[in-house]
Structure formats: C-alpha cells, structure tokens
Amino acid sequence: MQRFDNFYADGRWHPAQGDEITLYNPTTEEPSAAVRFATVNQVRLATAAAAAALPAWSARPMGERAAILAAAGEALVAQADELARTLSAEVGTPIAQSRRLHVQTAIHTLLQAPRWAQQQQPQEGPGRTLVEQIPIGVAACVTPWNYPLYLAATKIVPALLSGASVVLKPSELAPASIAALVGAFERARLPPGVLNVVFGGAATGEALIRDRQVEVISFTGSTAVGRQIAAIGGGLLKKVSLELGGKSPSVVLPDAALARAVSGTLQKAFQNAGQTCTASSRLLVPQAQFSEACELAAAGARALRSGDPLDPQTELGPLISAAQRSRAMQLIATAVQQGAHLLAGGAGAPRPARGYFVPPTVFATADPALEIVQTEAFAPVLVIMAYRGLDHAVELANATPFGLSAAVWSADEAQAMAVARRVRAGSVSINGAHTHPDAPFGGFGASGLGRERGPLALEEFRATRSLHRDSGQRPPSDGPARAG
Ligand code: NAD
C-alpha cells in the first residue's frame, strides 16, 4: 500500500499530522493507499513558505521562470508511461485515455510555458505611462480528482509563469501523480517555496483559501463547493476563479452525418467513464432522426468494453470510488422513477463483478426538467432529446444552469458556427473538432468564473499596474486623480 503522509513546503516533504484516510483501487476495491492530511498549522507553514519565496520568484525574468516550467515538463516525459499506469490504477481511466488525457496534456502545458512567455510584453500606455501585469500574490490552487495531474498543471503553469507562488491542494482521492509532479519540479531546480503542496479534504482546502497570505484562489471542482469558495473569497476580497461542472449539449443539425455525430458524442460522453467536466451528456437531435439516434446511441453504449483500465482493449473503466458509484446509480434510479426511457445500461445491465463500474447508460426523454437532464452525472450516462426546429434546439441546449462546453454537428460549417454562437458555453466544438489545449477555457453560470489554458490564463493570477512617467505635459484631463 502506498503512503502519502507528508506535505511539501519550502522545497521539502514534512510529516503531516492531520487525519488519515484509506484509498481503494477502483478496479479491485482493495486498499491501495493511505493519505494523511496536513493540519491547519501545516497549511500555514506552506503559505508562509510561498509568501517568503514570492519576491525573488516574481523578480526573475519571465523567460527564466518559463525555462524551469519547461524543464519540469521534460522531466515528466521520461516518466510518461509509468505516470499513465499510475493514473489508470488510481482514477480508473483506460490506459490509452490516460496517456492522452492525463499525461500528454500535462506535459504539453508545461512545455508550452516558454512560448506563452514570449507573448507577454509590457505595454506602452497613454502618454509615457507604462502598463505592467504583476502577480497579485500567493495563489491557492484547489483541484479535483478526475484529471489530477493535468488540472494541477493547468493552474501551476500560468500561476508560476505570472510570477506568483503557489500552494496546491489536490484532491485527497488522487495524490499519486502530484507527488511525481513535485519530483519533476525538483529536478528542474524550482526554488524552494515557489510550489508547495498540502494533501487534505474540505477542511484543509478551506483553511488554505482563508489563509491571510493567500490573495488569489483558483478552484476546479463541483458547483456546490465552488459557490462556497466564491462566498468565502468574496467576503475576504480575494481574486477567485472557478472551473465548475457542466451538462454539455451536443446539438445535431438536420443535415449532419447522424452516425458520426452520435459516435462522436458517445466518445465525449463516456471518456474517463463520464468523469469529465466537458462530457457531452445531452444529445439533441431533430425529431425526424430521434428513433435512429436512440438506436445508434444504445448500440454504441452496449458495444463498449468495460474492464481493467490497464488492459489496452478496455474502453470504459470504473468510477473512482464507491461513493461516486452510488451517487451515479441513485441518479439513474431517479431518472427511471421520473419516467425517463431507459435505452441501454441502468441498474440491471451487466458489469464487471468487482470494481466501481457503472454500466454505460442511455436515456431518452422529452422533459427538460428531469433531474437526469439538469444534473451533472459524472458517470457514463447520456440523455437524448428531440427538438422541433433550430430555435427549440438552442432553447434546449441552454436550458440548464451550466454553460461550460457544447458540440454542434452540421454538413454546413457556417450554419454550425451560427448555432454555436447562440449556445451559452465557453467552448464549442464544431463537427467533432478537438479542443485546442491552449485555447481559452471556462464557463458561464453554474460552470464558473474566469478562463484557463493558454497565455490568457495568466490574467487570473495578475493585476495591472500603471507607471506614470513625466512627459513634461499635462494630460488632457487628470481630473478624478487630481481631485482625489
Ligand atoms: P469537489 O468540489 O468535491 O472537490 C474539488 C476540490 O475541492 C477537492 O480538492 C476537495 O478536497 C476540495 N474541497 C471540497 N470542499 C471544499 C471546501 N469547502 N473548501 C475548499 N476546498 C474544498 O469536486 P470533485 O468531486 O473532486 O470533482 C468533480 C467536480 O469537478 C465535477 O463537478 C466536475 O465537473 C468538476 N470539474 C470541473 C472542471 C472544469 O474545468 N470546469 C474540470 C474537472 C472537474
């Protein structure tokens, strides 16, 4: 059994003194790891280390900071296969998906840092004003378990590149790749205190975001916890960005190639067993193609191979924990009770005898108010609805509190783009296009605030400062400033 009983501060691992939890392998249900949480005092040691490291780190040229981030990426390249296996064992992600979605994405994010740095220049403002972007201060980064390595990298790279120092609190359910990430930063000679890590749950996370040394909070996780964090951060006037849940629509226009659109939607709905914030979990099809779409989706779901995530043939692994599985099965049971039509999967469908597996499940309904339409399942569950015309399609697409991502399918790209612009989502994929890892990403409404990924992500950790140099001339109007 692996042990994660330390926290990382000031460039060293120290024994943690808080509560301990046991983790279970999601495929075998056997105990796999023990995680000991940092105490509130130990969280304070981590934020103190980050605050102490901040002045020297933020004073270094951005190019040097970027080079260290890229060197950490290089260090991970050598471990990529081992990391993919570690994440498949820990999260349950099928190995081929682990390589691509967990590991390559994280490495890409680190390796891109020098390119992003080149795009950041101080701007000449009006007159002789110099407008600079400066780090706000110590950043608390709180991340979930579904893509533990990638989502940590998504926050650490822009934070450190901007000159901030970081205390990361990863999910207590997925510590293994984070320990490897710290090792990569050590090999890249990141100065002590610039990146600190505390393992723990809600109490540890809350102690971290409340800590007076922390000035920026970057959170990825559920909408419910995001609301709590926004309230705390708002009260303490800290800058908060939130990447939260989704219930993303896949809108198939009447001229689209239906089979391709359905299989593309299934792939996005069931990847990482549906434990993806951008999962295409609602399929919207024209009334005339509804029956065919239902048949295609049900057949596609039944054909998925569930099993050991380390077996290269496996397409669908287990959920990460018994708690996630029972939550998903409850949602499926409620959908049946509320009258959703079960087309594939469900409680009675075959699944491996051991492991936290949920059968790939497809529902159809005409009722947009059902819980299965409105609630993020975070499990391999798809719901299909028919629309009567384009306005109705857009109305259904926008009829949840979320606004994270969407897909639109059409033979006519211009028409797909026109519909995409009417869908309230931070990123929309046209005809199955892969989302570029450096394009801005984030949501509306219950999906959160702020944008991550690519050079724009630095803004979440920075503020603007204007340096007014004397030009010998009085500006056209300096009224409010002079009036005080
Ligand atoms: P969660 O909200 O339960 O936990 C996320 C993190 O917050 C964990 O590290 C957890 O320990 C911590 N936490 C929990 N309560 C806290 C509190 N009161 N104060 C501070 N920290 C606290 O989410 P989860 O179950 O780990 O992850 C699944 C959720 O994450 C889903 O809703 C999913 O959609 C969302 N997610 C969103 C994105 C995105 O980019 N939008 C990406 C991945 C996952």
Side-chain angles (χ1 to χ4, degrees):
M1 202 157 91
Q2 277 188 295
R3 295 199 66 85
F4 299 93
D5 41 17
N6 294 311
F7 71 101
Y8 189 76
D10 205 18
R12 281 188 304 126
W13 291 101
H14 311 263
Q17 289 163 336
D19 296 342
E20 183 173 300
I21 58 163
T22 302
L23 302 183
Y24 296 85
N25 180 305
T27 313
T28 63
E29 303 187 27
E30 281 161 9
S32 57
V35 185
R36 187 172 288 284
F37 294 176
T39 63
V40 172
N41 276 340
Q42 293 180 320
V43 169
R44 212 169 289 142
L45 291 177
T47 60
L54 181 68
W57 178 247
S58 60
R60 283 180 81 158
M62 190 182 275
E64 285 184 27
R65 297 196 296 259
I68 292 176
L69 289 161
E74 295 290 354
L76 282 185
V77 170
Q79 283 175 277
D81 270 355
E82 182 195 333
L83 268 171
R85 283 195 299 277
T86 299
L87 283 153
S88 284
E90 187 178 64
V91 181
T93 313
I95 186 71
Q97 295 177 24
S98 268
R99 287 196 186 99
R100 202 163 40 86
L101 304 173
H102 288 305
V103 182
Q104 285 171 13
T105 47
I107 290 174
H108 170 89
T109 304
L110 287 155
L111 293 180
Q112 288 308 301
R115 204 170 52 77
W116 297 356
Q118 279 168 8
Q119 295 175 30
Q120 316 287 326
Q121 301 294 340
Q123 296 158 7
E124 290 294 332
R128 289 194 65 229
T129 312
L130 191 67
V131 177
E132 294 179 337
Q133 306 295 333
I134 56 169
I136 297 170
V138 173
C141 299
V142 180
T143 49
W145 45 261
N146 57 335
Y147 295 101
L149 181 64
Y150 172 50
L151 295 175
T154 298
K155 296 191 183 307
I156 291 170
V157 170
L160 297 194
L161 200 52
S162 77
S165 54
V166 166
V167 180
L168 172 71
K169 198 217 70 71
S171 167
E172 62 277 33
L173 298 182
S177 62
I178 303 301
L181 184 63
V182 168
F185 275 112
E186 284 182 333
R187 291 200 289 290
R189 301 192 181 284
L190 184 74
V194 172
L195 172 65
N196 309 275
V197 178
V198 289
F199 292 122
T204 317
E206 199 169 322
L208 174 61
I209 62 163
R210 284 185 184 279
D211 190 289
R212 65 176 185 82
Q213 303 273 16
V214 166
E215 294 189 68
V216 180
I217 302 167
S218 176
F219 172 78
T220 299
S222 60
T223 300
V225 175
R227 279 187 215 285
Q228 293 172 29
I229 286 183
I232 294 169
L236 296 171
L237 289 180
K238 303 187 186 215
K239 180 161 179 176
V240 179
S241 67
L242 304 165
E243 294 292 342
L244 309 177
K247 191 76 187 179
S248 299
S250 179
V251 185
V252 183
L253 301 187
D255 64 351
L258 185 67
R260 183 167 162 250
V262 171
S263 91
T265 304
L266 285 182
Q267 194 259 323
K268 286 279 291 202
F270 295 156
Q271 135 187 323
N272 202 19
Q275 301 166 115
T276 303
C277 53
T278 53
S280 278
S281 48
R282 293 184 295 136
L283 176 61
L284 308 180
V285 295
Q287 186 73 61
Q289 283 145 303
F290 180 66
S291 307
E292 192 185 347
C294 288
E295 278 166 31
L296 285 167
R302 281 192 212 103
L304 282 174
R305 282 186 296 264
S306 295
D308 180 357
L310 291 167
D311 178 345
Q313 301 298 316
T314 296
E315 294 167 310
L316 193 83
L319 300 193
I320 193 167
S321 66
Q324 286 296 320
R325 181 179 182 278
S326 57
R327 182 185 163 276
M329 295 314 289
Q330 183 56 51
L331 195 65
I332 289 171
T334 305
V336 172
Q337 277 161 23
Q338 291 185 339
H341 187 43
L342 182 66
L343 302 173
R351 62 183 185 91
R354 271 198 316 172
Y356 309 129
F357 288 89
V358 170
T361 297
V362 180
F363 285 107
T365 182
D367 184 354
L370 292 195
E371 197 176 326
I372 198 67
V373 181
Q374 295 294 326
T375 307
E376 183 180 50
F378 235 53
V381 181
L382 176 75
V383 58
I384 310 181
M385 302 184 78
Y387 64 81
R388 294 185 297 277
L390 275 192
D391 287 347
H392 188 216
V394 171
E395 185 189 318
L396 287 176
N398 292 337
T400 77
F402 298 105
L404 191 58
S405 72
V408 181
W409 305 80
S410 170
D412 175 353
E413 189 178 272
Q415 198 200 6
M417 295 285 279
V419 172
R421 291 195 173 97
R422 296 174 66 193
V423 177
R424 193 166 183 256
S427 77
V428 188
S429 162
I430 310 293
N431 288 328
H434 292 290
T435 49
H436 195 287
D438 299 344
F441 174 81
F444 295 94
S447 293
L449 303 168
R451 293 293 179 266
E452 290 195 321
R453 301 188 191 174
L456 196 77
L458 272 70
E459 301 320 316
E460 302 299 340
F461 301 94
R462 299 199 297 197
T464 301
R465 174 167 61 197
S466 297
L467 293 170
H468 300 274
R469 292 171 296 188
D470 190 15
S471 66
Q473 287 182 345
R474 199 185 160 100
S477 164
D478 59 354
R482 185 146 293 187

